[in-house]
Amino acid sequence: DGGVQMDVRLILETDDEHLIYMSYRGIRHGPEEVIARLNAGEEVDPSEYYFRAAPFFETSSETYGWLNRIICVATGHRKPSGPVYSVFEVL
């Protein structure tokens, strides 16, 4: 149906050099012509497609250990240079 189910795992490094493992499942879909523009590396307004994820974090850092104990949701959009996320803790 043109939708993409994402299953992503990566390591983040904070400005103060702590490592955080982040994994998430997500979905991106939209009109065929919009997805074609995204895939071609064009700048596309995020309101033209759906991009949501559910990230989880793991770290041994005492500074960022609170991330191990929260649930988050995220919205995303794709720039030509890569994805950008806004991540929100569910309270």
Side-chain angles (χ1 to χ4, degrees), residues 1-4 28-36 38 48-50:
D1 66 0
V4 174
R28 187 185 76 195
H29 66 82
E32 187 175 328
E33 65 278 0
V34 171
I35 300 303
L38 279 174
E48 295 186 58
Y49 59 98
Y50 184 90

Side-chain angles (χ1 to χ4, degrees), residues 10-22 57-67:
L10 54 97
I11 302 289
L12 303 169
E13 183 174 358
T14 65
D15 290 339
D16 52 351
E17 300 181 345
H18 292 258
L19 298 178
I20 301 169
Y21 173 73
M22 179 175 118
F57 302 96
E58 294 177 36
T59 184
S60 61
S61 165
E62 290 184 20
T63 303
Y64 298 100
W66 60 272
L67 288 168

Side-chain angles (χ1 to χ4, degrees), residues 75-88:
T75 61
H77 63 279
R78 177 101 182 148
K79 291 186 162 282
S81 59
V84 176
Y85 303 96
S86 295
V87 179
F88 304 93

